[in-house]
Amino acid sequence: MNGAAGDTLTAFVDPYDREVLGTLETFGQWLPARAWLDDLHRNLHLGEFGRNYSELAASWLWVEVLGGLALWAGTPRNRQRLRRLVVPGGGAKGRRRTMSWHGAVGLWASIGLLGLSATGLTWSGHAGTSIGQVQDALGGSTPAVSTALPAAGGGRESADGGGREGADGTKDVGIDAAVASAHDAGLRGVLVVTPPADAGTAYVVKENTRSWPVRQDSVAVAPATGEVTQTQRFDDFPVLAKLTSWGINAHMGLLFGLVNQIVLALLAIGLIAMILWGYRMWWLRRPTRSEGLALGRAPARGAWRRIPGRVLAPAVVLAAVVGYYLPLFGLPLLVFLVVDVTVGVVRRRRAGAAA
């Protein structure tokens, strides 16, 4: 039974005497502790504001990762020796040692971070809608069985010979018979059963095994006869739909079980360490002789004008396209550019007035 905001009223039933032992409001199939952690990850328990913040982070994570890789690989000392790129320097001290650890760990973590950014955006609020539209246009949407019942047909009786009568007088073979029909069709493992919404729709029985190998087959079962009216195999999914499923399951730590979860834990530890190393590098190079608040030397203005047009023009077009499909990347970028241009104009006017 579905509740508000995607919550589900879950009943705990004794499998021997079918007595309802209790009910609990859960999120999907997750119990409260995991549901609370999922909500924290998704929106920081701040509702729509928190979800937008989470999507903002995912929208910019890949930019930060690629920018960091370019800076690390472009360091003259690292270009000369591959080992400096992939292994932290043992003999370095101070800021150089911190930078070595930051860069090397970031290089190894970059693949996982890029994967988390991409898979997280697929079911985000704004970018997820755009990605879904692109996926549909390319014929890669995730298929689903139709719940519409055939106009007429024979079929067979339920596997257990039982059944019940629906509220409108029509025969209903029941959930047990629908599951038995799904087993006969080859479905295995954990099954999710969705009862008919009305007299004209079927049961939907779907596999819910997300570890490797993935089992996501589903069938539609006629409630009156127990006949399987349609079957959808995961092997027949479009390639894009399979990639989306695998990516999301890996993001959630389900695809390869414990190994997947250990990798994600190491990735989280590495990300936290890189953030701390980043602050430490800033602290070690901070100005110490100036009076008052000192944040360091700002980048020199006018860098855009030094980029060749054949490079700048495609970059602008690419940024505009990406910003359109990832609005929480595009809007902050646009705001930054407007502020930067405004600051430049004000400084030039002040310099002209002083001259």
Side-chain angles (χ1 to χ4, degrees):
M1 175 178 176
N2 293 330
D7 290 340
T8 301
L9 182 61
T10 302
F12 298 85
V13 182
D14 189 316
Y16 298 101
D17 58 15
R18 300 183 181 182
E19 179 186 357
V20 176
L21 303 178
T23 59
L24 186 66
E25 190 173 289
T26 61
F27 182 79
Q29 304 173 50
W30 295 347
L31 295 178
R34 183 170 178 179
W36 187 91
L37 291 173
D38 175 78
D39 207 33
L40 176 67
H41 173 73
R42 185 174 47 179
N43 57 32
L44 302 176
H45 295 285
L46 297 176
E48 193 64 24
F49 173 82
R51 187 169 186 183
N52 287 334
Y53 177 83
S54 180
E55 183 175 343
L56 176 69
S59 299
W60 280 90
L61 177 59
W62 63 274
V63 180
E64 296 181 11
V65 171
L66 294 179
L69 288 176
L71 291 173
W72 183 239
T75 303
R77 291 170 57 88
N78 293 340
R79 288 202 302 264
Q80 297 171 3
R81 296 184 61 182
L82 178 62
R83 186 177 183 277
R84 295 183 185 276
L85 283 172
V86 298
V87 180
K93 296 181 179 180
R95 180 177 176 274
R96 181 172 294 178
R97 179 179 180 180
T98 302
M99 183 171 62
S100 176
W101 276 93
H102 178 92
V105 172
L107 180 67
W108 288 105
S110 60
I111 297 176
L113 294 176
L114 290 173
L116 288 178
S117 176
T119 54
L121 287 172
T122 57
W123 76 85
S124 60
H126 304 290
T129 301
S130 300
I131 294 173
Q133 292 172 350
V134 173
Q135 190 171 346
D136 292 344
L138 296 175
S141 58
T142 302
V145 294
S146 173
T147 60
L149 294 174
R156 60 177 176 80
E157 288 300 318
S158 64
D160 60 0
R164 62 184 178 85
E165 191 174 277
D168 57 357
T170 60
K171 183 180 178 182
D172 190 328
V173 297
I175 291 179
D176 290 343
V179 170
S181 297
H183 284 159
D184 291 343
L187 272 64
R188 296 291 182 267
V190 178
L191 302 181
V192 177
V193 182
T194 303
D198 51 52
T201 57
Y203 282 97
V204 174
V205 185
K206 181 177 181 180
E207 292 176 330
N208 194 35
T209 301
R210 301 186 182 185
S211 57
W212 194 265
V214 177
R215 297 189 63 91
Q216 295 280 274
D217 296 351
S218 58
V219 296
V221 179
T225 63
E227 176 189 8
V228 174
T229 60
Q230 190 179 20
T231 302
Q232 179 65 61
R233 304 292 182 186
F234 182 77
D235 290 342
D236 298 330
F237 278 23
V239 174
L240 284 177
K242 289 182 178 179
L243 292 175
T244 300
S245 176
W246 290 332
I248 291 176
N249 292 337
H251 185 110
M252 299 176 68
L254 302 173
L255 188 59
F256 300 109
L258 181 61
V259 174
N260 197 163
Q261 295 161 21
I262 292 175
V263 170
L264 290 178
L266 292 175
L267 194 60
I269 294 173
L271 178 59
I272 294 172
M274 285 189 294
I275 293 173
L276 296 177
W277 285 326
Y279 279 114
R280 175 167 171 76
M281 285 189 295
W282 172 82
W283 181 258
L284 291 174
R285 69 177 299 181
R286 74 193 189 284
T288 58
R289 296 183 180 180
S290 59
E291 296 181 359
L293 181 64
L295 299 178
R297 185 176 65 256
R301 298 192 60 83
W304 291 104
R305 292 192 292 270
R306 295 194 293 270
I307 299 177
R310 64 181 181 276
V311 176
L312 181 59
V316 171
V317 173
L318 179 62
V321 172
V322 174
Y324 175 80
Y325 286 103
L326 306 182
L328 289 184
F329 163 77
L331 290 176
L333 178 61
L334 181 62
V335 171
F336 170 80
L337 292 176
V338 169
V339 172
D340 186 65
V341 170
T342 302
V343 170
V345 170
V346 170
R347 287 186 175 181
R348 284 195 297 270
R349 287 182 176 178
R350 287 180 178 177

